Amino acid sequence: MQSIRTIVLAKNFIDEVLEAAWTIPTLQTLDLSYNLLDTVKKRRLVGLSNLQTLNISFNVLTIITLQSFSGLSNLRKLYISNEKRAYLNGMLRVLSKLQFLDMSNNPISWMSIDQFTNNADLEELRMERGQLLGRDLFDNSQNMSIFRGLVSLGKLRLKGNFLHQLDVRTFSNLSNLYYLDMSESRITVLVPQIFKDLLSLRFLYLNANKLMALNGHVFQGLENLTVLFIQNNSLSKIEKQTFASTLQLRELHLPGNHINTILPGTSFPTRDHSLSIDISRNPISCTCELQWFSNWLHTANIKMQHPDRTLCSSASLQVLKNKPILSFDPGDFCGVDSALISGLSLTGAAVFLLTVLAYINRWWLNYKFFLLKLALFGYKEVEEDVAEEDYHYQLNVMFHDNDEGFVNDILRPALMQRMPHLQHIIYGDDDLNVGMFYVDALYHAIESSYKSVLLISNQSVGDVWFMTKLRMALEHLNETRLDKIILVFLEDIEDDNLPYLVRLFLSRNRPYMLWTEDEDGQELFWATLEKNMRSNRVLNNIIPV
């Protein structure tokens, strides 16, 4: 086949590529996705000097050697997504003409920070859901960003990581970047001027993070920004100068936050062009303080998205509650008696502010109430026929492979520190009895453990084997009539994505816990887990699984 250009071998059972397998200089596209490759050894792709696209996604890769891609000097597109691991060891330096790289849905790590210094032609980089931390992207000891060398990079996708500690110099080398997605990355704070070097940026996505405030200089330097998404965060206000530098902004999306007012004098770029703005699903207080904003909406070159969902909150003037903001005409309410109306609205705003503050500090308040309850009433230990020491294992932890990082980095060290008496613990499939069939080993682990903890995440609820483990655990709960099962939610899961078994468990008031990034919330989490480990409560009913 000396003239063939494309070979697709996807969705087979290939587990190895043999040496010297290729003698096809005309081949431009090779698809080995959805196979069983666990490694790409060195010199296994020699002979493909004109290959431009290589897809090895959806395998079980754990090792890619330093010389895996040697000989692919003309490669333009490389797909390595949905593997067990993506470890960068300098292997990309030989791909000097690479333009597209997809490493999404892998636990990504690297040997050193200078992984892309020879990839000046790279135009799009996807590192979504790579379990990356903010500190992984910038090495303070070398004063160097992981993106150093990517002078041509135009699109960067970082969605679904853990970017709550970003250094202000993280994006300093990306002067040609025009598209940046950091959605769902648990970002709580953006330091001022973090985007100041992104002179070409036009699209910025910050959806579904945990932002509670935006510094007035956070978007400084983004003079070419045209589309900005900050929806479904926890913003309670906007500083007056936040959007002053975004002179070319055409679309601003702020729905699903906690914004209750727009301060007079807040700068919005509408002088030379129209602005499409979405502030729906925010508790906007329609009072005379909002008079300027209402007039601005009616007179400026504004297109409001979803006006039927942009409503006045319960803190608004009485006749305006739950009415569209566009129906608010200040001339009808803000006349001679405006001082009285404003005073009443301020009282409502104060109540709302206290509610917001209580929500922001909810974990701290819950933890203090938890301690107060224990101090006043204590708790009654529930005795059972079988004591903790009569079980072979004290704790059995079941989780999806993608949640192993949480177990190794957070759960295991915390248990060793906070509950050192727990010496016999099963951590996932690796600790199961190797002398049994898999299903038998799972049941043995559940039956022989004092408590079983199942870690629930978006990945685990979609995994057939994990749901099988949950069903076995619930069946054992019904057999023993002992409250031995604890569900731990590692992240928020949409109601529509919750499986029936999980809904059924929660509907019976069974114990469950929620992990949070809030420090007070974590203290409450560990205190609750320690309390749940002290006894197995006898149940009066069963769960009809």
Side-chain angles (χ1 to χ4, degrees):
M1 298 185 291
Q2 293 303 307
S3 299
I4 197 166
R5 295 190 177 189
T6 301
I7 294 180
V8 179
L9 296 171
K11 297 183 180 179
N12 284 284
F13 297 93
I14 300 170
D15 58 6
E16 185 179 3
V17 177
L18 301 180
E19 190 171 359
W22 311 103
T23 56
I24 312 175
T26 59
L27 191 64
Q28 296 182 1
T29 301
L30 174 60
D31 188 349
L32 292 170
S33 61
Y34 293 94
N35 280 289
L36 301 176
L37 294 171
D38 61 357
T39 182
V40 179
K41 298 179 181 178
K42 65 180 181 179
R43 302 186 60 79
R44 294 305 165 92
L45 297 172
V46 171
L48 300 177
S49 57
N50 290 310
L51 192 69
Q52 296 186 12
T53 302
L54 174 61
N55 189 347
I56 51 176
S57 298
F58 292 94
N59 280 275
V60 288
L61 287 175
T62 57
I63 300 175
I64 299 178
T65 66
L66 190 60
Q67 299 178 349
S68 294
F69 302 126
S70 60
L72 303 183
S73 56
N74 288 303
L75 195 68
R76 302 294 197 275
K77 296 182 178 181
L78 177 59
Y79 298 83
I80 324 177
S81 66
N82 294 276
E83 309 290 359
K84 281 196 171 182
R85 184 187 181 204
Y87 180 68
L88 299 180
N89 53 9
M91 61 191 179
L92 298 174
R93 294 171 189 158
V94 299
L95 305 179
S96 59
K97 296 184 180 179
L98 195 65
Q99 297 176 353
F100 175 92
L101 174 61
D102 185 359
M103 302 173 62
S104 301
N105 300 305
N106 300 312
I108 303 173
S109 59
W110 41 75
M111 178 174 57
S112 62
I113 201 74
D114 58 338
Q115 295 299 319
F116 299 109
T117 51
N118 199 35
N119 300 113
D121 291 343
L122 193 65
E123 297 176 357
E124 182 171 350
L125 175 59
R126 299 182 179 181
M127 303 172 76
E128 298 171 306
R129 296 181 178 86
Q131 300 182 18
L132 294 172
L133 302 177
R135 61 176 178 267
D136 293 333
L137 305 184
F138 192 89
D139 189 334
N140 282 297
S141 63
Q142 301 185 51
N143 195 27
M144 182 176 174
S145 169
I146 185 65
F147 306 118
R148 181 177 178 179
L150 300 181
V151 294
S152 300
L153 193 66
K155 299 183 72 172
L156 177 58
R157 301 176 184 268
L158 296 171
K159 180 179 180 180
N161 285 290
F162 304 89
L163 307 180
H164 53 277
Q165 292 180 337
L166 285 172
D167 191 278
V168 69
R169 298 162 291 180
T170 300
F171 306 115
S172 58
N173 307 296
L174 305 178
S175 59
N176 287 310
L177 194 73
Y178 68 88
Y179 181 101
L180 176 59
D181 187 355
M182 295 194 297
S183 303
E184 302 175 18
S185 294
R186 298 168 175 82
I187 301 173
T188 55
V189 176
L190 287 171
V191 295
Q193 300 184 357
I194 189 172
F195 305 116
K196 65 182 178 62
D197 295 312
L198 302 182
L199 305 178
S200 302
L201 195 66
R202 301 199 305 273
F203 302 91
L204 178 57
Y205 296 84
L206 298 168
N207 302 340
N209 281 293
K210 299 182 179 181
L211 293 168
M212 292 186 289
L214 291 174
N215 183 277
H217 302 289
V218 69
F219 299 126
Q220 185 172 334
L222 299 183
E223 297 180 357
N224 291 303
L225 189 68
T226 57
V227 177
L228 176 58
F229 281 83
I230 324 178
Q231 63 193 51
N232 298 325
N233 278 269
S234 300
L235 295 177
S236 58
K237 67 175 182 178
I238 299 173
E239 292 193 15
K240 294 181 180 181
Q241 298 301 314
T242 299
F243 305 113
S245 300
T246 57
L247 302 179
Q248 301 300 321
L249 195 62
R250 299 296 199 277
E251 295 183 25
L252 176 59
H253 299 265
L254 292 165
N257 282 282
H258 305 312
I259 301 171
N260 64 344
T261 190
I262 308 295
L263 297 175
T266 300
S267 178
F268 291 101
T270 57
R271 178 177 299 178
D272 301 322
H273 57 270
S274 63
L275 175 65
S276 175
I277 186 171
D278 186 354
I279 54 172
S280 59
R281 296 186 290 113
N282 276 287
I284 303 293
S285 298
C286 298
T287 64
C288 289
E289 289 185 356
L290 202 68
Q291 178 177 354
W292 81 273
F293 184 68
S294 178
N295 292 332
W296 177 75
L297 288 176
H298 288 91
T299 58
N301 194 2
I302 299 297
K303 180 180 179 182
M304 177 173 283
Q305 300 290 333
H306 309 297
D308 56 329
R309 285 182 278 173
T310 309
L311 307 177
C312 297
S313 71
S314 57
S316 304
L317 299 175
Q318 184 65 34
V319 296
L320 296 173
K321 292 180 179 180
N322 299 319
K323 298 292 182 61
I325 286 180
L326 290 179
S327 66
F328 174 34
D329 186 354
D332 296 337
F333 305 96
C334 302
V336 177
D337 295 327
S338 60
L340 176 60
I341 296 175
S342 297
L344 294 174
S345 63
L346 284 175
T347 302
V351 173
F352 176 77
L353 182 59
L354 290 175
T355 304
V356 171
L357 290 174
Y359 175 79
I360 293 174
N361 296 284
R362 63 192 184 280
W363 290 114
W364 182 86
L365 292 172
N366 284 338
Y367 181 54
K368 295 304 180 183
F369 283 131
F370 175 82
L371 296 179
L372 180 62
K373 181 180 178 181
L374 290 182
L376 294 177
F377 306 105
Y379 57 89
K380 183 180 180 181
E381 293 281 358
V382 180
E383 299 294 336
E384 57 173 290
D385 294 335
V386 181
E388 177 183 346
E389 57 269 16
D390 295 325
Y391 285 88
H392 189 67
Y393 303 106
Q394 294 163 301
L395 181 60
N396 171 32
V397 183
M398 295 183 169
F399 54 89
H400 190 269
D401 289 345
N402 287 355
D403 300 323
E404 188 172 0
F406 174 84
V407 174
N408 293 332
D409 297 341
I410 298 177
L411 182 63
R412 192 191 296 261
L415 290 178
M416 293 174 63
Q417 179 182 0
R418 296 171 180 266
M419 289 175 264
H421 64 283
L422 299 180
Q423 297 295 318
H424 303 288
I425 303 177
I426 297 177
Y427 289 104
D429 293 349
D430 291 342
D431 290 345
L432 294 177
N433 193 321
V434 296
M436 296 182 176
F437 289 108
Y438 182 54
V439 174
D440 294 337
L442 289 174
Y443 189 79
H444 175 74
I446 297 172
E447 186 180 42
S448 304
S449 299
Y450 182 67
K451 288 282 188 179
S452 289
V453 172
L454 288 91
L455 305 184
I456 307 295
S457 64
N458 283 295
Q459 293 285 342
S460 64
V461 298
D463 183 74
V464 175
W465 273 112
F466 185 85
M467 297 310 300
T468 300
K469 296 175 185 178
L470 176 59
R471 178 178 293 275
M472 294 171 65
L474 297 185
E475 290 175 348
H476 179 67
L477 183 146
N478 287 339
E479 293 174 3
T480 61
R481 294 293 183 95
L482 295 176
D483 210 2
K484 298 174 58 177
I485 308 301
I486 303 174
L487 297 191
V488 174
F489 287 81
L490 299 183
E491 55 189 346
D492 291 334
I493 301 177
E494 296 292 337
D495 290 345
D496 294 341
N497 295 333
L498 278 178
Y500 172 73
L501 283 179
V502 178
R503 293 172 181 267
L504 195 59
F505 184 90
L506 298 178
S507 69
R508 296 302 173 109
N509 295 320
R510 299 278 71 82
Y512 75 94
M513 301 167 61
L514 176 64
W515 177 253
T516 174
E517 297 297 328
D518 183 272
E519 292 184 1
D520 293 320
Q522 292 177 9
E523 288 299 323
L524 176 61
F525 177 91
W526 297 119
T528 305
L529 179 60
E530 186 173 2
K531 179 178 180 292
N532 288 334
M533 285 297 300
R534 292 175 181 168
S535 62
N536 283 333
R537 186 162 58 95
V538 178
L539 303 178
N540 295 322
N541 52 33
I542 64 173
I543 299 177
V545 298

